[in-house]
Amino acid sequence: MNKNVKTNLCVALCAVTALSACACSTAQPESTFDSPRPWQDDIKVALDGSYEKLDYAVAVYDTTGGATDDKRVKIADGKMTFALSEPVSGDFTTLEMSFSVTYAADAPAPDAGLTDTIVSRVLFSTNSLAAKEMQKTVTLADRDGVQNLSYELTADYFGTHEATFRYIASDEAARTLALKEDTCHDNEMLFFLARAQTLAPEGTTMFRTVNIFDSFYNGKLTEYTMLATNSAELVSLDIGDWVKDFGIEAVTDEQSGETTYPVPCYNTSVGINAERHGPPYVVNYAEKPFVRGEKSHAKLPIRIGYSQYENSRAFRYTEYTLTACSFDRAK
């Protein structure tokens, strides 16, 4: 596979919940998950079940000249949405993700002007968070001189215990892989699994996920032990005054008189617990719940950052920043 293929595939695959590693980790006990979950509404106010929609602005930067704000160069913009739906009566919760990124006209070849998309859907147990089934489609734009590696993944954890992988632009038959008959979490749930455990300064929690893409890449079922490790200090993020509608308090600068609505956040590194591993995600989870009416959702992921490396040198950085959220289904 040539360098362009590897670069473009890595950008699209690592952009959303596709951590990769060079070694499997050993099985270790998981930390306890919150009960109720951070996204669950009180049954008295959630007559149609719990719901959460999180919208993000996506920015991709070229960091070959440096990672600081004055040296990195934005080469793409996009958007991402997580929509979680939990029926008031039912055993399973649905988590859907949609992602798209469009490269600027002056972005490096062969990406310039092109759009890549990812959509996924996970059905998981409301009680245990064990994945029941997963579907994912990665659609890459055609690039000059580069093989199109768009693909589809499926996993049936409770029924056939089988996963499939298929290159969309190929006549090659879909590949299959046996899944274990024990319960497990899917990698597409990554940020929500970390969120559903106790977050505290200098605290660390642990959970396991099956990565279906890596399983096909490695030729065997690949499950990772994940660590969510928090920094000692909180970080404060200003993502706009829209957060005041969710109970975030105003802060007024005594000298300038400017009023902002900073969101205190845990600074959480989410990565694979293995000697040889890829770079972690850095996720800023809100320290205080976002409250709208009678509904309160805790530990929202406010900002997500991910660096990509080539020959031990950072060359891309992708950042997702929360721009809107809703706890009520559209009517």
Side-chain angles (χ1 to χ4, degrees):
M1 187 181 293
N2 65 41
K3 180 178 179 181
N4 281 342
V5 171
K6 289 190 293 183
T7 297
N8 291 316
L9 184 61
C10 187
V11 170
L13 304 190
C14 292
V16 179
T17 62
L19 280 169
S20 297
C22 300
C24 291
S25 55
T26 57
Q28 300 179 46
E30 292 182 312
S31 304
T32 302
F33 291 103
D34 294 346
S35 182
R37 313 302 184 202
W39 52 81
Q40 287 180 326
D41 292 313
D42 188 311
I43 191 67
K44 296 178 182 178
V45 300
L47 299 180
D48 57 350
S50 298
Y51 177 81
E52 181 180 272
K53 182 182 179 185
L54 306 176
D55 294 320
Y56 294 83
V58 179
V60 181
Y61 297 92
D62 183 331
T63 57
T64 54
T68 58
D69 289 346
D70 60 329
K71 293 183 179 180
R72 67 185 187 181
V73 178
K74 184 189 283 191
I75 59 173
D77 286 292
K79 58 185 179 180
M80 178 177 71
T81 297
F82 287 114
L84 183 145
S85 180
E86 181 178 296
V88 69
S89 60
D91 296 329
F92 298 101
T93 299
T94 302
L95 176 62
E96 296 176 299
M97 184 277 299
S98 63
F99 166 88
S100 67
V101 62
T102 299
Y103 291 89
D106 58 354
D111 298 324
L114 300 180
T115 297
D116 298 322
T117 65
I118 304 174
V119 294
S120 69
R121 178 181 180 274
V122 184
L123 192 65
F124 63 89
S125 169
T126 301
N127 292 326
S128 69
L129 302 184
K132 181 179 187 293
E133 58 187 47
M134 182 274 290
Q135 299 92 37
K136 182 174 184 177
T137 301
V138 174
T139 305
L140 306 174
D142 289 327
R143 287 164 165 82
D144 292 339
V146 176
Q147 180 185 5
N148 191 312
L149 297 178
S150 301
Y151 69 84
E152 294 178 336
L153 284 176
T154 67
D156 183 348
Y157 292 98
F158 282 17
T160 62
H161 301 285
E162 185 176 85
T164 66
F165 177 94
R166 182 180 75 87
Y167 283 119
I168 296 173
S170 171
D171 293 332
E172 180 182 332
R175 287 183 275 164
T176 61
L177 183 76
L179 302 173
K180 63 180 185 179
E181 296 195 11
D182 195 9
T183 58
C184 51
H185 307 121
D186 191 276
N187 194 64
E188 296 302 305
M189 303 165 59
L190 183 69
F191 301 131
F192 287 78
L193 292 168
R195 175 186 171 192
Q197 294 184 332
T198 300
L199 297 179
E202 297 187 281
T204 297
T205 58
M206 186 179 302
F207 57 93
R208 293 189 298 276
T209 68
V210 170
N211 190 310
I212 298 298
F213 179 84
D214 280 9
S215 296
F216 279 99
Y217 183 82
N218 295 328
K220 61 180 180 180
L221 183 67
T222 302
E223 185 174 36
Y224 298 123
T225 297
M226 310 299 299
L227 289 181
T229 304
N230 301 302
S231 301
E233 303 293 332
L234 298 176
V235 297
S236 186
L237 299 179
D238 184 359
I239 58 173
D241 64 3
W242 65 269
V243 300
K244 65 185 178 183
D245 296 331
F246 292 86
I248 303 301
E249 298 179 354
V251 173
T252 302
D253 186 276
E254 293 182 358
Q255 294 183 338
S256 67
E258 180 184 6
T259 297
T260 58
Y261 296 84
V263 182
C265 296
Y266 299 104
N267 194 50
T268 306
S269 172
V270 183
I272 298 169
N273 183 32
E275 182 177 352
R276 298 167 61 202
H277 57 80
Y281 284 96
V282 175
V283 188
N284 298 132
Y285 290 99
E287 179 200 21
K288 298 178 181 178
F290 273 45
V291 180
R292 184 77 166 181
E294 296 182 87
K295 297 183 178 182
S296 176
H297 289 215
K299 295 180 285 188
L300 266 62
I302 302 300
R303 182 167 291 168
I304 303 167
Y306 184 78
S307 295
Q308 294 166 249
Y309 292 82
E310 190 172 55
N311 299 323
S312 300
R313 183 180 180 183
F315 74 98
R316 290 281 168 90
Y317 175 71
T318 303
E319 187 173 75
Y320 317 85
T321 302
L322 188 68
T323 59
C325 62
S326 175
F327 307 146
D328 296 300
R329 290 178 175 82
K331 296 180 179 179

